[in-house]
């Protein structure tokens, strides 16, 4: 019996997406280590943000050339949206309008192809990052100048280089070949998308998250809106499941981060924590969304702590991270429940 259990555990371990995990670690780790070693940690973090967005596209199951093309196009698209958002920093009304337009477009393109879906979702996140960079991270965390946008783009291009090298070195054994991105464009042309109802729901909920954060003066509106953009699906029950997993995962991540940052002020050790969390993100996406959310929370909050070491760290932001996630999850669940009431009614009928 023990031999069978060990064999099953080994098979489960082998089934984990280790190639994606290694890719994620390299995409995030190299810019961060380079920034720390050169004394340009803030720029290293900006490059990491660009890498995090684009590596999600790189991990899509598609032909190698399509994944590389999607990575390059996604990097430019996200960077362009971030630049656009940076022009609107002082205009909350235009920011909300931009989120509505971009969010509705992203929602409409859902269900066409995973690469396209991720690309447009993160394009909205890029726009929000550019527009809310001061509100999201504080005026002293990332020096805003003309070089930031190029550093952000460089992070995405670094991921593209990893994809090209991976294809060259492991073109047979390491890369899978799923549906081509061209099939997604064919679905768009034939109007086989998520539809107008989900598109409006996606855009309106994200806009409500941003607008509500402004009106209520909530801290970190970026985190509230990012939660809605990442967890919403055109199925209210699936969305509720993801939101509950995100809440639990964020809480676990916050507790882990508190233990990490209260036990050390060593930049090298904090970077080691980030490198340990990075590969758990794609593994969690494939196996357990709660694990993914916990790993993302650790990665993001420890990076912010790194930037704030000379200000005493980011311990005060930990509860804000959880509350912002909670508000975003509640908005997401309410929005999809209102948009798709028939799914809830059918569930109640089956339960009764």
């Amino acid at each position: 019996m023990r031999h069978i259990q060990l064999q099953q555990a080994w098979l489960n371990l082998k089934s984990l997406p280790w190639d994606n995990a290694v890719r994620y670690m390299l995409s995030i780790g190299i810019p961060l280590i380079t920034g720390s070693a050169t004394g340009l940690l803030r720029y290293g973090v900006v490059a990491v943000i660009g890498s995090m967005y684009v590596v999600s596209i790189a991990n899509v199951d598609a032909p190698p050339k399509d994944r590389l093309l999607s990575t390059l196009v996604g990097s430019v698209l996200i960077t362009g949206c971030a630049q656009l958002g940076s022009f609107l920093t002082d205009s909350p009304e235009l920011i909300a309008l931009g989120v509505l337009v971009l969010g509705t477009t992203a929602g409409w393109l859902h269900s066409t192809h995973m690469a396209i879906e991720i690309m447009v979702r993160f394009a909205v996140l890029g726009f929000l990052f550019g527009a809310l960079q001061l509100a999201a991270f504080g005026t002293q965390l990332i020096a805003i100048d003309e070089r930031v946008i190029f550093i952000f783009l460089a992070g995405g291009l670094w991921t593209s280089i990893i994809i090209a090298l991976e294809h060259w070195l492991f073109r047979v054994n390491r890369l899978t070949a799923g549906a081509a991105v061209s099939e997604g464009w064919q679905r768009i042309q034939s109007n086989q998308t998520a539809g107008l109802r989900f598109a409006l729901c996606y855009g309106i909920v994200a806009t409500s998250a941003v607008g509500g954060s402004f009106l209520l003066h909530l801290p970190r509106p970026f985190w509230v809106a990012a939660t809605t953009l990442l967890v919403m699906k055109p199925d209210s029950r699936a969305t509720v499941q993801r939101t509950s997993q995100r809440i639990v995962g964020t809480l676990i991540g916050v507790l882990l981060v508190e233990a990490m940052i209260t036990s050390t002020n060593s930049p090298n050790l904090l970077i080691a924590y980030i490198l340990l969390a990075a590969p758990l993100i794609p593994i969690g996406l494939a196996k357990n969304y709660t694990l993914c959310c916990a790993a993302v929370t650790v990665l993001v909050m420890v990076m912010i702590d790194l930037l704030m070491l000379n200000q005493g760290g980011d311990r005060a932001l930990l509860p804000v991270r959880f509350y912002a996630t909670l508000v975003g999850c509640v908005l997401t669940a309410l929005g999809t429940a209102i948009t798709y009431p028939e799914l809830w009614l059918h569930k109640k009928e089956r339960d009764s």
Side-chain angles (χ1 to χ4, degrees):
M1 177 64 72
R2 184 173 179 80
H3 174 72
I4 295 176
Q5 291 176 340
L6 289 174
Q7 187 177 34
Q8 185 61 45
W10 172 247
L11 291 175
N12 292 336
L13 193 64
K14 286 182 63 178
S15 68
L16 295 176
W18 292 111
D19 53 342
N20 292 351
V22 171
R23 189 184 306 130
Y24 227 98
M25 183 182 293
L26 291 174
S27 296
I28 291 173
I30 298 301
L32 191 61
I33 293 172
T34 301
S36 177
T38 58
L40 300 173
L41 182 60
R42 295 180 180 182
Y43 290 129
V45 170
V46 172
V48 167
I49 295 171
S51 295
M52 285 179 64
Y53 288 157
V54 178
V55 76
S56 300
I57 300 172
N59 285 338
V60 170
D61 184 14
K65 291 183 179 179
D66 277 11
R67 292 200 297 175
L68 180 58
L69 178 63
S70 298
T71 301
L72 291 169
V73 173
S75 178
V76 175
L77 176 64
I78 294 165
T79 303
C81 287
Q83 181 71 75
L84 175 62
S86 68
F87 295 143
L88 307 177
T89 299
D90 298 322
S91 178
E93 296 81 6
L94 290 179
I95 292 174
L97 179 61
V99 172
L100 178 61
V101 173
L102 293 174
T104 300
T105 303
W108 184 72
L109 291 175
H110 184 86
S111 305
T112 54
H113 190 282
M114 184 61 71
I116 297 174
E117 175 189 337
I118 293 173
M119 194 185 307
V120 293
R121 283 191 184 225
F122 283 129
V124 188
L125 283 172
F127 173 81
L128 273 171
F129 176 76
L132 303 177
Q133 51 196 341
L134 300 183
F137 291 99
T139 55
Q140 300 303 313
L141 289 181
I142 297 178
I144 305 302
D145 55 43
E146 68 279 0
R147 288 176 289 184
V148 167
I149 200 69
F150 297 104
I151 298 296
F152 181 89
L153 179 59
L157 293 177
W158 163 240
T159 299
S160 302
I161 293 173
I162 292 175
I163 297 300
L165 289 174
E166 184 182 35
H167 176 47
W168 179 59
L169 294 173
F170 308 104
R171 63 179 62 206
V172 175
N173 297 325
R174 291 288 297 278
L175 291 177
T176 57
V181 175
S182 59
E183 295 183 22
W185 294 120
Q186 292 172 5
R187 293 191 185 97
I188 294 172
Q189 293 173 353
S190 59
N191 203 28
Q192 298 179 37
T193 64
L196 184 60
R197 181 160 60 154
F198 177 70
L200 290 174
C201 175
Y202 193 76
I204 290 173
V205 170
T207 306
S208 299
V210 175
S213 297
F214 282 137
L215 291 174
L216 298 176
H217 303 288
L218 296 178
R220 305 307 187 263
F222 178 83
W223 288 340
V224 179
T227 296
T228 69
L229 291 167
L230 291 174
V231 303
M232 186 179 295
K233 298 287 185 181
D235 182 331
S236 61
R237 283 170 290 169
T239 297
V240 168
Q241 182 182 22
R242 284 175 68 87
T243 53
S244 61
Q245 290 172 334
R246 190 171 186 87
I247 291 171
V248 174
T250 301
L251 178 59
I252 294 172
V254 164
L255 294 175
L256 288 173
V257 172
E258 183 171 19
M260 292 173 182
I261 65 178
T262 54
S263 63
T264 183
N265 287 323
S266 168
N268 292 333
L269 188 55
L270 292 175
I271 290 175
Y273 287 145
I274 293 173
L275 294 180
L276 288 174
L280 296 179
I281 296 175
I283 290 175
L285 277 174
K287 298 295 183 179
N288 189 307
Y289 190 61
T290 301
L291 173 63
C292 172
C293 294
V296 169
T297 300
V298 170
L299 189 148
V300 170
M301 298 308 296
V302 173
M303 274 202 303
I304 294 177
D305 190 70
L306 265 174
L307 293 173
M308 295 181 67
L309 279 179
N310 60 350
Q311 303 172 39
D314 71 340
R315 189 171 183 179
L317 287 179
L318 293 178
V320 175
R321 171 75 179 190
F322 178 70
Y323 297 145
T325 300
L326 182 61
V327 171
C329 286
V330 170
L331 284 173
T332 302
L334 287 175
T336 50
I338 293 171
T339 306
Y340 297 94
E342 68 276 9
L343 295 174
W344 291 88
L345 294 174
H346 293 168
K347 183 178 185 298
K348 290 180 179 179
E349 291 173 0
R350 287 195 299 269
D351 292 342
S352 61

